[in-house]
Amino acid sequence: MNSWANLGFDLHVELPHGIGVRAALLQTLRDAIDSGLLKPGTRLPPSRTLALDLGVARNTVADCYAELAAAGWLVTRQGSGTVVASLADAHIRGTDPSPTRPRFTYSLLPGSPDASAFPRAAWISSARRALTAAPNDAFAATDPRGRVELRNALTTYLSRARGVRVDPSRIVISASSGHGISLLARALGGAIAVDSFCLHLHRQLLVDEGLRTVPISVDESGTCTDELGSTSTRSALLTPTHQFPLGGPLTPARRATAVEWASSTGSVIIEDDYDGEFRYDRKPVGALQGIAPQQVAYLGTVSKTLSPAIRIGWMVLPDRLIEPVLATKGPYERWVSSTDQLTLADFIESGRFDSHIRKMRATYRRRRDQLVATLAQKVPHVRIEGISAGLHAVIRLPSGSEQAVLTAAQTCDLSLEGLSTFRHPDVASVGGDGIVVGYSTPTQSQYPRTLDVLCEVLQTALR
């Protein structure tokens, strides 16, 4: 076979019957461009390659390319091959029918780090080093626990930085903390206790897996764990380090109560270490898992420290849950890229992960301080809570004003989340009105103007 037969790109083409080959190919290519299957800028295979794939004469394909180029459907450039013309946009009648969330000019949605702060150069350096040193089996089907290189790196990091009691055999890599919650929900089943105010997306994951969620109270001291004994549940989802969304850490007494409940009933606590690395005005709070490793399933992720685009999370599991979770996950790693795992392992072991966290901790503390100072100056009658750690704050509002603030925010092109979004549906409207402000979300250049818009919204709605 000639060497040129292996050059170019694959193109799936099915020629209609009943017409000549040339007419069929012209019609097929026009239809593919017109429907959007071949998008502007898509590079087509060389005429020789496509002719070989279709079993037709090369001149037939070359003539079709030339005719479509003359009509403006394709562009042929010397040395660049043949691509779908950008002018073909005018021919494409179809649009993406999938609904999308409205885009706002300004956003203070909680749960996202500053995307512009992603350490690109350091990540690329780790990727290059990790892939160069990667064994051949890194590019084959992988152990469902995850790459051992990452599990080893996490063992050192989690024990050092978060006080987690762990060895690599008890770590299972997931695509996110939400993925971990879904896997644990399938392994546990039954009913599960959750905070009356918690991350609604995680609560919905539990419901989607068939679990009944039972709300328990929260206050400035975190989850009211003394209520666990009256729930008749055998598991609980908690955010002990930094309760989401209200912000308080679980007090030592309440931690002891939760562990005692789990130990005495054989229950499991799922600990979501939500933004646990970011603290400002308080001493570091270690993971609850460090107190009771056989009662607590610990969840972590890089979605807040690095980026939600890096789809890597981890579970540190009690011995009894390892096999059920692995059985649910499947016989090999289907969710998380092995190369990303290797890159993250190097990123942690090189010290770049710690450096990035320290840098962002200082950045987000300055943003937190700027939020507090701006509100005190421009909207002094609102109260701000949950600011000693994390990436968000709760702004308390007068009763009945939450929806007015959200409506005003939409008018000002600002994306905000109301406190009521996170209230359990079985809980009466208690806890007051408020908004949850994610001060880590905007870029540094956008942040001052975003705060100005927030103040304008509050001034307008609370006038």
Side-chain angles (χ1 to χ4, degrees):
M1 183 179 292
N2 293 329
S3 61
W4 52 259
N6 297 319
L7 300 176
F9 307 92
D10 284 340
L11 178 65
H12 178 69
V13 174
E14 293 183 4
L15 300 182
H17 299 291
I19 57 177
V21 173
R22 186 176 185 279
L25 182 56
L26 281 171
Q27 177 182 319
T28 300
L29 291 174
R30 283 197 199 99
D31 289 346
I33 296 170
D34 190 46
S35 66
L37 289 175
L38 289 176
K39 301 185 183 303
T42 300
R43 192 172 179 183
L44 300 186
S47 57
R48 285 184 177 183
T49 304
L50 185 57
L52 181 69
D53 289 345
L54 296 177
V56 303
R58 178 192 174 192
N59 287 343
T60 300
V61 177
D63 289 347
C64 289
Y65 279 5
E67 183 171 331
L68 291 171
W73 295 84
L74 300 177
V75 174
T76 302
R77 300 188 184 95
Q78 187 68 31
S80 299
T82 302
V83 300
V84 178
S86 59
L87 292 178
D89 278 330
H91 299 292
I92 298 174
R93 294 185 294 271
T95 57
D96 183 1
S98 60
T100 57
R101 188 168 187 164
R103 289 186 175 273
F104 292 83
T105 302
Y106 309 101
S107 177
L108 287 168
L109 291 178
S112 296
D114 178 358
S116 69
F118 183 78
R120 303 183 192 208
W123 186 260
I124 290 171
S125 177
S126 284
R128 183 181 298 112
R129 220 174 14 253
L131 294 183
T132 300
N136 291 336
D137 67 1
F139 305 99
T142 301
D143 186 336
R145 296 173 190 263
R147 291 298 307 179
V148 66
E149 296 90 344
L150 178 56
R151 290 187 284 120
N152 285 336
L154 285 171
T155 296
T156 301
Y157 172 76
L158 292 174
S159 60
R160 169 175 56 79
R162 302 298 304 127
V164 175
R165 291 164 62 184
V166 59
D167 61 72
S169 66
R170 292 174 52 215
I171 295 178
V172 176
I173 301 302
S174 62
S176 63
S177 56
H179 180 214
I181 287 171
S182 293
L183 291 171
L184 282 165
R186 291 177 215 166
L188 292 168
I192 183 169
V194 299
D195 290 343
S196 56
F197 284 84
C198 65
L199 187 60
H200 58 305
L201 300 177
H202 286 177
R203 185 176 64 235
Q204 188 58 49
L205 287 174
L206 296 168
V207 173
D208 291 344
E209 297 297 340
L211 275 66
R212 180 173 62 90
T213 59
V214 179
I216 53 179
S217 305
V218 291
D219 57 26
E220 66 277 359
S221 298
T223 307
C224 297
T225 53
D226 58 330
E227 297 180 11
L228 287 169
S230 62
T231 62
S232 300
T233 62
R234 298 298 297 274
S235 57
L237 173 61
L238 306 178
T239 49
T241 302
H242 184 229
Q243 201 281 331
F244 184 89
L246 301 184
L250 197 61
T251 62
R254 291 187 179 184
R255 285 177 166 236
T257 299
V259 169
E260 182 181 353
W261 165 77
S263 299
S264 62
T265 61
S267 300
V268 173
I269 297 170
I270 302 175
E271 177 180 14
D272 182 8
D273 195 14
Y274 190 90
D275 58 25
E277 291 88 351
F278 298 109
R279 75 271 178 183
Y280 314 119
D281 302 325
R282 71 179 194 205
K283 294 179 180 179
V285 178
L288 182 64
Q289 189 270 0
I291 303 174
Q294 293 303 325
Q295 280 73 49
V296 178
Y298 174 90
L299 303 182
T301 176
V302 297
S303 66
K304 309 299 182 295
T305 51
L306 283 173
S307 166
I310 306 296
R311 306 302 298 158
I312 298 180
W314 48 84
M315 297 174 276
V316 180
L317 299 175
D319 292 334
R320 58 184 158 138
L321 286 180
I322 294 173
E323 290 307 321
V325 167
L326 290 175
T328 299
K329 192 179 183 191
Y332 58 89
E333 178 57 74
R334 296 176 292 170
W335 308 100
V336 187
S337 161
S338 292
T339 55
D340 281 350
Q341 291 184 58
L342 292 171
T343 300
L344 180 58
D346 182 90
F347 197 74
I348 293 171
E349 290 180 334
S350 67
R352 289 181 169 90
F353 190 48
D354 283 88
S355 296
H356 178 72
I357 289 173
R358 286 195 299 272
K359 173 187 173 183
M360 299 314 299
R361 187 183 294 144
T363 296
Y364 294 143
R365 177 170 187 157
R366 288 193 296 271
R367 290 195 185 193
R368 188 278 312 262
D369 293 346
Q370 189 174 353
L371 170 66
V372 172
T374 302
L375 289 174
Q377 178 184 3
K378 297 185 176 181
V379 200
H381 51 286
V382 298
R383 189 170 84 255
I384 185 167
E385 298 178 350
I387 59 174
S388 64
L391 303 177
H392 72 276
V394 175
I395 297 178
R396 293 291 186 172
L397 302 173
S399 179
S401 63
E402 181 178 308
Q403 189 53 54
V405 169
L406 296 178
T407 300
Q410 190 168 4
T411 301
C412 292
D413 212 16
L414 171 65
S415 188
L416 278 181
E417 204 83 78
L419 186 58
S420 60
T421 300
F422 306 102
R423 183 187 300 122
H424 193 286
D426 294 341
V427 173
S429 182
V430 296
D433 286 20
I435 53 174
V436 183
V437 174
Y439 49 80
S440 62
T441 303
T443 64
Q444 192 59 43
S445 60
Q446 292 173 327
Y447 190 55
R449 177 55 187 155
T450 304
L451 289 187
D452 289 341
V453 174
L454 172 64
C455 292
E456 292 169 13
V457 165
L458 293 172
Q459 290 165 349
T460 299
L462 304 180
R463 186 171 293 155

